[in-house]
Amino acid sequence: MQQVRSIVWKSRSRGTLEGAGVKLHRAFGYQELPAFDPFLMLDDFRADRPEDYRAGFPWHPHRGIETVTYMLEGRVEHGDSMGHSGSIDAGGVQWMTAGSGIVHQEMPKPVNGRMGGFQLWVNLPKAHKMMDPRYQEIRADEIPTATLPGGASARVICGEIAGVSGPVRDIVAGPEYLDIALEPGAHFSHPVRPGYMAAVYVIGGSGMFEPHQDEESGNGTILLFGESGDAVGIRAGKNGVRFLFFSGKPLREPIAWGGPIVMNTQEELRQAFDEYEQGTFIKGAASR
Ligand code: MN
């Protein structure tokens, strides 16, 4: 018999400024370390007003992490210093493993006046921080949808549900990343591996995220499940609910975080910024 996990932490995403002045909402980040290990940060950049995001995220480096951009509407135009460029379009994902280092820019653009998406940061363990950079770029029509009994459906970005596997593969933290929609009143149960963390971020409607809980959580709420138990159990409210579900194996390593670079020690962080200034930051060409 499954033991359902309880919620141990819940909050609303908070407004913050990032990049060249993009107004976005941070679900969790530096302040919450290391509660979401192996994840570092989740930003919600859904926005109605172009002036809130037009400035974008001009040239900046990353090392030691993966950034996962998932678009609901509009697009992000992406380019890196090694000549790789393209766009992440509505319903698509870019899973970028920065590894030893990438210098890139990310510029949100409206399509039919709409733009919105999410960026999740996944930490890399010490043994993989300096791995070769890599992109996994997945178009909307390459992300399968699993339809579950009882009014639930899941877009599977990474991981597996109901025999449907996501297209993103070989991620060190062994994560799952699912976009789940429940019809009004529907119930959803999903296994979580022992020792793995699990969390959800509500992106529409409202629902109850643990058994016997009366209080519904709505759009913009981040909820972290406790470690005890082997499944999550979620029930949609009367208007249904849509949420991002993510889980992964905690790294339990020291974290030295300096803006877009996350290493294990302050010395490694210093070295990364020195190399960036000296023009020796980039180690290898990114592969697709
Ligand atoms: Mn970036």
Side-chain angles (χ1 to χ4, degrees):
M1 171 135 179
Q2 281 184 331
Q3 189 203 338
V4 178
R5 292 190 180 198
S6 301
I7 299 293
V8 293
W9 189 80
K10 168 177 168 170
S11 179
R12 302 278 302 177
S13 57
R14 54 188 184 269
T16 187
L17 277 181
E18 264 303 339
V22 176
K23 282 188 186 171
L24 51 77
H25 287 86
R26 179 153 297 154
F28 65 91
Y30 190 83
Q31 281 178 239
E32 283 74 30
L33 280 181
F36 288 80
D37 185 14
F39 302 99
L40 295 164
M41 194 180 84
L42 176 64
D43 279 350
D44 174 352
F45 55 93
R46 291 177 290 172
D48 291 327
R49 308 187 320 159
E51 58 267 36
D52 286 349
Y53 58 83
R54 194 179 282 131
F57 307 87
W59 297 103
H60 59 276
H62 289 291
R63 175 180 284 178
I65 60 168
E66 304 182 280
T67 68
V68 183
T69 307
Y70 177 39
M71 295 303 292
L72 291 188
E73 300 182 292
R75 73 163 59 100
V76 166
E77 293 177 356
H78 171 265
D80 75 25
S81 60
M82 291 168 294
H84 175 82
S85 67
S87 70
I88 313 159
D89 294 295
V93 169
Q94 181 197 64
W95 199 298
M96 184 189 86
T97 304
S100 61
I102 252 171
V103 178
H104 75 165
Q105 60 173 347
E106 301 153 284
M107 305 304 281
K109 307 280 176 181
V111 174
N112 299 323
R114 307 288 304 168
M115 193 293 300
F118 310 92
Q119 190 169 87
L120 178 68
W121 286 17
V122 191
N123 203 2
L124 285 169
K126 186 174 181 59
H128 291 83
K129 283 211 180 277
M130 296 301 284
M131 68 187 283
D132 286 341
R134 182 181 68 186
Y135 290 100
Q136 297 192 55
E137 293 176 310
I138 316 292
R139 290 192 319 265
D141 62 5
E142 298 172 318
I143 298 177
T145 298
T147 304
L148 307 159
S153 65
R155 299 192 78 222
V156 189
I157 296 165
C158 186
E160 189 192 314
I161 181 167
V164 177
S165 291
V168 174
R169 299 280 159 80
D170 303 324
I171 302 299
V172 181
E176 283 190 317
Y177 192 17
L178 311 168
D179 173 358
I180 296 168
L182 305 185
E183 291 171 12
H187 182 259
F188 171 76
S189 166
H190 182 63
V192 181
R193 285 198 234 174
Y196 277 52
M197 67 72 71
V200 297
Y201 183 60
V202 185
I203 62 172
S206 64
M208 283 154 285
F209 289 84
E210 63 182 355
H212 319 300
Q213 186 199 39
D214 299 333
E215 190 185 69
E216 292 193 2
S217 298
N219 196 4
T221 309
I222 177 82
L223 301 106
L224 176 65
F225 295 96
E227 288 174 11
S228 129
D230 52 14
V232 297
I234 295 162
R235 187 175 295 282
K238 64 180 185 340
N239 297 314
V241 64
R242 185 175 179 187
F243 56 92
L244 306 176
F245 170 90
F246 47 98
S247 74
K249 189 175 196 303
L251 306 180
R252 305 191 200 286
E253 291 182 354
I255 292 171
W257 186 338
I261 298 173
V262 185
M263 304 302 288
N264 295 110
T265 68
Q266 290 299 321
E267 177 52 33
E268 290 166 340
L269 210 51
R270 224 172 359 252
Q271 185 186 338
F273 282 104
D274 284 350
E275 289 177 6
Y276 186 53
E277 270 177 30
Q278 291 159 11
T280 57
F281 183 78
I282 298 297
K283 306 300 179 193
S287 62
R288 304 293 286 275

